[in-house]
């Protein structure tokens, strides 16, 4: 089967681990030139080597999305290496899980990465996407929101607020960028087994077995998801097969919020 993203320059923020890593791998398998943008240099560089050994074009660029300088440099270095930006997957997030007791520092961390950081990378990526196809513009952006943007979970205030913001930001961006042929959509995962889940287990002293037993049954499919099960919907929304889809959010939550 033909590779669906042959030579498409795809940036994945938070690409060093979890859903981002699975997304980098899937886009690489589909022929994309993949840019891994992350603060985790060791894992990001190792993933770039792995993708290149498998025959793909891949580049790791150290990027803290909360830094405007970093966001601007990410796009400049991507364009220098690969010529343009076709797809942006806004996946990086800070998991600040606090309730009403959250401090200003907690709020600033959560908002500066999840909301402002996502906006900064998008701002500079869009400048480049507008130049695609001889200035007519073309691009696809997929934002990682969450089921947490729709439901209440204990002590998720600082995180859920940012994920709900991303659902709304997706619509605003889609409206503003439609004239430039740039589609903007979101995916909203349920519980996915990633490093973030392992960090959560560590914080709460839960074993993997307990975590799965607690989380699994809340999903209609009676289990948590795997990173690749989110990477495929991201790939779909970024693809030509989704050419008439913009401003939407796709639940990838095993049916969690249906109850
Ligand atoms: N895992 C889940 O259950 C779940 C559920 C719903 C939504 N999501 C969303 O999916 C996305 C990925 O989550 P995950 O579980 O794969 O997380 P993860 O912790 O496994 O990976 C996140 C990656 O983002 C990177 N990162 C963190 N802060 C960054 C920053 N400031 N700049 C650049 N990179 C940064 C980390 O180094 C890491 O490589 C997030 O947006 C998250 O909110 C995850």
């Amino acid at each position: 089967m033909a590779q669906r993203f042959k030579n498409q320059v795809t940036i994945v923020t938070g690409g060093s681990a979890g859903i981002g890593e699975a997304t980098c791998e899937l886009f690489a398998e589909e022929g994309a030139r993949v840019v891994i943008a992350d603060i985790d240099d060791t894992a990001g560089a190792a993933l770039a080597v792995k993708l290149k050994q498998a025959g793909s074009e891949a580049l790791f660029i150290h990027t803290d999305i909360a830094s405007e300088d970093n966001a601007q440099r990410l796009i400049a270095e991507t364009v220098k290496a690969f010529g343009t930006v076709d797809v942006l997957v806004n996946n990086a997030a800070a998991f600040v899980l606090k309730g009403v007791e959250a401090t200003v520092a907690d709020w600033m961390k959560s908002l500066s990465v999840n909301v402002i950081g996502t906006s900064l990378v998008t701002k500079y990526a869009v400048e480049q996407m507008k130049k695609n196809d001889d200035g007519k513009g073309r691009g696809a952006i997929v934002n990682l929101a969450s089921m947490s943007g729709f439901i209440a979970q204990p002590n998720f205030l600082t995180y859920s607020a940012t994920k709900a913001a991303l659902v709304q930001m997706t619509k605003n961006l889609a409206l503003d960028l439609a004239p430039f042929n740039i589609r903007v959509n979101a995916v909203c995962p349920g519980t996915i087994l990633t490093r973030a889940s392992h960090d959560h287990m560590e914080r709460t002293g839960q074993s993997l077995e307990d975590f799965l037993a607690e989380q699994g049954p809340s999903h209609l499919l009676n289990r948590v998801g795997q990173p690749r099960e989110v990477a495929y919907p991201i790939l779909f929304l970024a693809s030509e097969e989704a050419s008439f889809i913009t401003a939407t959010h796709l639940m990838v939550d095993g049916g969690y919020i249906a109850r």
Side-chain angles (χ1 to χ4, degrees):
M1 199 171 122
Q3 289 178 309
R4 283 186 285 173
F5 282 82
K6 190 81 193 146
N7 295 332
Q8 295 268 307
V9 182
T10 300
I11 298 175
V12 182
T13 69
S16 294
I19 294 167
E21 179 183 7
T23 303
C24 289
E25 288 175 343
L26 188 56
F27 273 84
E29 287 165 25
E30 292 288 348
R33 297 162 150 176
V34 175
V35 176
I36 306 151
D38 205 296
I39 49 175
D40 185 336
D41 298 353
T42 311
L47 179 59
V49 169
K50 187 177 155 194
L51 296 180
K52 282 194 266 192
Q53 280 170 350
S56 303
E57 287 187 77
L59 179 65
F60 171 72
I61 301 176
H62 174 89
T63 312
D64 178 350
I65 63 163
S67 151
E68 182 153 17
D69 284 352
N70 279 206
Q72 194 167 15
R73 188 172 44 78
L74 167 65
I75 305 307
E77 287 188 15
T78 299
V79 173
K80 197 167 155 207
F82 293 143
T84 192
V85 181
D86 298 297
V87 175
L88 170 64
V89 182
N90 281 315
N91 166 78
F95 292 84
V96 181
L97 303 179
K98 290 281 169 71
V100 71
E101 77 288 357
T103 63
V104 171
D106 293 329
W107 277 111
M108 291 310 284
K109 172 77 181 168
S110 195
L111 290 166
S112 68
V113 177
N114 301 5
V115 174
I116 301 171
T118 298
S119 305
L120 292 173
V121 177
T122 302
K123 174 163 104 176
Y124 292 105
V126 160
E127 280 182 6
Q128 183 59 39
M129 286 175 172
K130 285 179 177 176
K131 296 178 189 163
N132 286 341
D133 292 355
D134 298 322
K136 287 201 285 286
R138 179 184 39 75
I141 299 173
V142 182
N143 295 325
L144 269 286
S146 172
M147 68 173 179
S148 303
F150 296 87
I151 57 170
Q153 293 158 287
N155 298 315
F156 263 48
L157 178 64
T158 41
Y159 176 76
S160 300
T162 65
K163 292 295 160 176
L166 279 166
V167 173
Q168 180 58 38
M169 285 160 60
T170 298
K171 297 180 204 172
N172 286 70
L173 287 165
L175 175 73
D176 292 344
L177 299 176
F180 306 99
N181 196 24
I182 299 169
R183 297 182 299 102
V184 188
N185 292 293
V187 293
C188 304
T191 306
I192 311 297
L193 196 58
T194 65
R195 187 159 73 184
S197 336
H198 287 284
D199 290 346
H200 178 75
M201 287 175 236
E202 213 164 276
R203 268 196 311 272
T204 56
Q206 243 179 348
S207 66
L208 176 61
E209 207 181 18
D210 290 347
F211 177 80
L212 297 177
E214 182 197 272
Q215 293 287 325
S218 303
H219 302 71
L220 295 189
L221 295 177
N222 199 29
R223 63 175 177 84
V224 303
Q226 297 297 327
R228 210 166 159 97
E229 294 181 294
V230 184
Y232 275 110
I234 293 170
L235 187 94
F236 165 66
L237 287 172
S239 77
E240 268 306 297
E241 289 153 18
S243 54
F244 200 51
I245 302 179
T246 196
T248 200
H249 59 266
L250 177 58
M251 303 308 301
V252 188
D253 67 346
Y256 191 112
I257 69 159
R259 271 201 243 272

